[in-house]
Structure formats: structure tokens, C-alpha cells
């Protein structure tokens, strides 16, 4: 069969890869999106939401994404995005000019992202090779996972699924197979209520926000009283992580050695270190129901700060008082 008739049969856009038979080595597979999938309204909406999210995150760095298919493959934007979301510095080349260096940089970024997402590469729906070859589905799977991890309140359209065509080069020629891939989960009322409790509070009942803050301030000050500390402003006093760490230790009945955190942080990096440590302690205790970016706490994001404190409030508000004796740092 001639390549031209094969493309017509599969409705593949010729502009994508007119020499697919020559490019695919024997045994190699590649996914293609037929025009009907690309024009699916929910599929287009998903890309729009993700692009707006990325561009908002990277606005201070003057980085603009215009195409998720064309702009993400070399690791540059993924590098900046992951650093911003995770609040850490990756030791990779800032500018990679050659194909080999771009591929190497992308692999390092994905390795760090997979660790953060707690995903092993064999189980991941993306890979260095797939993203570097501009596989839009692989890129979208990765971005959706990052959004769910670091921005769970991002309004991704639910139940996005598209038909894809997988082409495989075999000894007898090209082999095609159609399948449907799910990009976002089906939403349920329970998931929605859990996910949006603070979003809905800020959006629909802003008059109740102060009441929630007041209840949490009272709870925090009761626990910090024996340390001679008090909190008046939730939005600002937790930004450097110091009071948050002391509160976690007080509630857990342990102390942190001074060498483990900065008691008087003098830079955003030291503040970020403190907050990251605090969130790791909370995750170890299984207290965080929502992924929270440490950078949001440092930047005095009221919603993120409330989510963290509310997780402590829910666990400890009904517990009886302890004797307050520290028992050493947790593992």
C-alpha cells in the first residue's frame, strides 16, 4: 500500500509526518492524533487551560508558551516550570543548544519530576523519547500530573479522552491500531467537594474566611503559648516557616535541632528551606490532603497557608493536652 493511501485511510494529517514509513525503524511505535481528536472541544479546552496555567506561572521569567506540542520538547520550559512549582533548583544546563544536550537536559528534568510525582518511568505515560519527539499525548499526561500535584484547584475539564492511532513498523510493513486514551479523570460530587472546599470558601463565602482564620488562630495560640509565642496574622507570620515548624513540633511532641532549619531566615531561599521541611513533616504524617507548594506559603498565599494549618487543626483540635516533653526529631 502506498503511503498516500494509508494516510487517507487513517485520516492522518499529512503535515504531521509524511515520511512515517522511512522514519519508523522496525519495531518502533509512534502515536498520532487524527483531526477529529485534535478538534475535540474538551481536548482543545484542556490545552488552553494548561497553557494559561504555565504562562501564568512563568510570567515573571517572561516565558510564553504558544504550543504545547512544539514548545515543550527540549526541556527548557519544563525545567523552569518544575523549578517554579517544586521550589527547588535543578542542576542542569540553562541553555541547551545541541540535540544531545537538549535530550540530556530533558531526561534530568523528567527524572526530578518523576521523583516528585512518585512515578517510576516504566509506569509513566510519558518518557524522554516521547516528549522529545513532540508526542502531544505524552506531554499532556505529564502536565496533567504536574497540575494535579502542584495546583490541584486548577479547573481542568473532566473526562477528557481522545482517540489515538499507534503506528508500528513491522517486517511486513506499517501496522496501525486505534485506541482511546484518558487524559483527565471523571469528576464525582465527593471529589469536587474535597477539592474545592477552600476555593468555594474564598469564592462564595468570603465573609466566613475571617471566622475560619479566627478559629485557627485561637487553636495555634493555645498550642504555642507554652513557647511564649503568639500569632496575630496567619497570612504573614507563617511565610518564613519558623512558627510552622515550631507548631508542628509542639503538636507532635518533638523538637527540631537548630541545625535542621533557620531560626532567623535572612533570605527567600532560607525561608523556602524551612517551609519545605515543614511540608515534608506533614506529608510523613499523612496530614496533607492537597499538594501545597512551599513557594505559595513563602509568598503569603492565604489559601495555601490555611490549608496547611487546617490539616493540623483537624488532627489535633480534639486531642487531649500532652505533657509537652519533647521526644527528639522524627525520622
Amino acid at each position: 500500500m502506498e503511503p498516500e493511501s494509508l494516510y487517507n485511510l487513517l485520516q492522518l494529517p499529512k503535515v504531521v509526518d509524511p515520511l512515517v514509513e522511512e522514519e519508523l525503524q522496525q519495531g518502533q511505535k509512534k502515536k498520532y492524533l487524527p483531526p477529529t481528536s485534535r478538534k475535540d472541544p474538551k481536548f482543545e479546552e484542556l490545552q488552553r487551560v494548561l497553557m494559561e496555567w504555565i504562562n501564568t506561572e512563568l510570567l515573571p521569567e517572561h516565558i510564553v508558551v504558544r504550543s504545547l506540542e512544539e514548545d515543550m520538547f527540549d526541556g527548557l520550559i519544563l525545567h523552569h516550570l518544575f523549578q517554579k512549582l517544586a521550589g527547588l533548583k535543578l542542576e542542569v544546563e540553562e541553555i541547551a543548544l545541541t540535540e544531545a544536550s537538549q535530550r540530556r537536559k530533558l531526561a534530568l528534568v523528567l527524572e526530578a519530576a518523576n521523583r516528585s510525582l512518585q512515578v517510576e518511568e516504566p509506569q509513566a505515560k510519558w518518557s524522554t523519547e516521547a516528549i522529545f519527539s513532540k508526542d502531544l499525548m505524552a506531554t499532556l499526561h505529564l502536565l496533567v500530573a504536574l497540575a494535579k500535584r502542584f495546583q490541584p484547584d486548577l479547573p481542568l475539564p473532566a473526562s477528557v479522552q481522545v482517540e489515538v492511532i499507534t503506528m508500528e513498523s513491522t517486517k511486513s510493513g506499517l501496522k496501525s491500531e486505534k485506541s482511546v486514551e484518558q487524559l483527565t479523570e471523571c469528576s464525582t460530587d465527593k471529589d469536587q467537594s474535597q477539592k474545592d472546599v477552600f476555593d468555594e470558601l474564598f469564592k462564595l463565602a468570603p465573609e466566613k474566611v475571617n471566622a475560619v482564620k479566627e478559629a485557627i488562630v485561637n487553636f495555634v495560640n493555645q498550642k504555642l503559648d507554652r513557647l511564649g509565642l503568639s500569632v496575630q496574622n496567619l497570612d504573614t507570620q507563617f511565610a518564613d516557616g519558623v512558627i510552622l515548624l515550631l507548631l508542628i513540633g509542639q503538636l507532635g511532641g518533638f523538637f527540631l535541632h537548630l541545625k535542621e532549619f533557620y531560626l532567623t531566615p535572612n533570605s527567600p531561599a532560607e525561608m523556602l528551606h524551612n517551609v519545605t521541611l515543614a511540608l515534608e513533616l506533614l506529608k510523613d504524617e499523612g496530614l496533607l490532603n492537597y499538594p501545597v507548594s512551599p513557594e505559595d506559603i513563602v509568598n503569603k498565599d492565604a489559601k495555601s497557608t490555611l490549608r496547611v494549618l487546617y490539616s493540623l487543626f483537624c488532627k489535633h483540635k480534639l486531642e487531649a493536652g500532652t505533657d509537652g516533653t519533647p521526644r527528639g526529631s522524627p525520622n
Side-chain angles (χ1 to χ4, degrees), residues 30-34 37-38 40 43-44 46-47 50 68-70 72 124-127 130-145 160-166 179-184:
K30 190 168 184 178
K31 292 179 182 178
Y32 295 88
L33 284 166
S37 294
R38 289 180 175 272
D40 181 276
F43 184 66
E44 292 180 334
L46 175 63
Q47 293 180 76
L50 288 171
L68 296 178
E69 191 167 22
E70 297 294 331
M72 310 296 291
K125 297 179 180 178
W126 55 85
S127 66
I131 291 180
F132 194 77
S133 63
K134 301 182 182 181
D135 183 327
L136 180 57
M137 293 299 292
T139 302
L140 289 174
H141 278 302
L142 172 62
L143 293 175
V144 168
V160 179
Q161 55 183 18
V162 292
E163 181 183 84
V164 298
I165 299 173
T166 302
S179 61
V180 175
E181 286 196 27
Q182 190 91 20
L183 284 163
T184 62

Side-chain angles (χ1 to χ4, degrees), residues 242-258:
V242 175
I243 292 181
L244 182 56
L245 284 169
L246 295 174
L247 176 64
I248 292 171
Q250 188 69 15
L251 292 171
F254 60 82
F255 62 84
L256 289 169
H257 295 294
L258 291 179

Side-chain angles (χ1 to χ4, degrees), residues 19 22 86 103 116 167 184 194 207 218 223 229 248 286:
L19 300 175
E22 296 180 12
R103 192 186 296 269
S116 178
M167 304 291 294
T184 62
Q194 290 178 345
E207 71 281 359
N218 290 337
K223 303 303 178 183
L229 299 173
I248 292 171

Side-chain angles (χ1 to χ4, degrees), residues 30-131:
K30 190 168 184 178
K31 292 179 182 178
Y32 295 88
L33 284 166
T36 51
S37 294
R38 289 180 175 272
K39 294 177 183 178
D40 181 276
K42 295 180 75 171
F43 184 66
E44 292 180 334
E45 172 70 5
L46 175 63
Q47 293 180 76
R48 183 191 65 78
V49 172
L50 288 171
M51 271 197 293
E52 289 182 355
W53 171 57
I54 295 170
N55 288 334
T56 300
E57 292 289 337
L58 299 183
L59 181 62
E61 300 179 53
H62 307 289
I63 294 176
V64 178
V65 174
R66 292 184 172 84
S67 168
L68 296 178
E69 191 167 22
E70 297 294 331
D71 296 347
M72 310 296 291
F73 78 98
D74 61 359
L76 175 64
I77 292 173
L78 284 174
H79 171 208
H80 285 268
L81 177 64
F82 182 71
Q83 284 194 149
K84 173 70 163 53
L85 296 175
L88 51 80
K89 177 74 173 176
L90 295 181
E91 297 299 325
V92 299
E93 300 173 71
E94 183 62 33
I95 303 296
L97 298 178
T98 66
E99 180 176 323
S101 61
Q102 290 173 347
R103 192 186 296 269
R104 183 169 58 249
K105 175 177 181 174
L106 176 62
L108 291 172
V109 173
L110 291 184
E111 183 181 334
N114 288 346
R115 281 198 304 269
S116 178
L117 295 170
Q118 298 182 340
V119 173
E120 298 290 337
E121 185 161 343
Q123 284 77 47
K125 297 179 180 178
W126 55 85
S127 66
T128 301
E129 187 59 39
I131 291 180

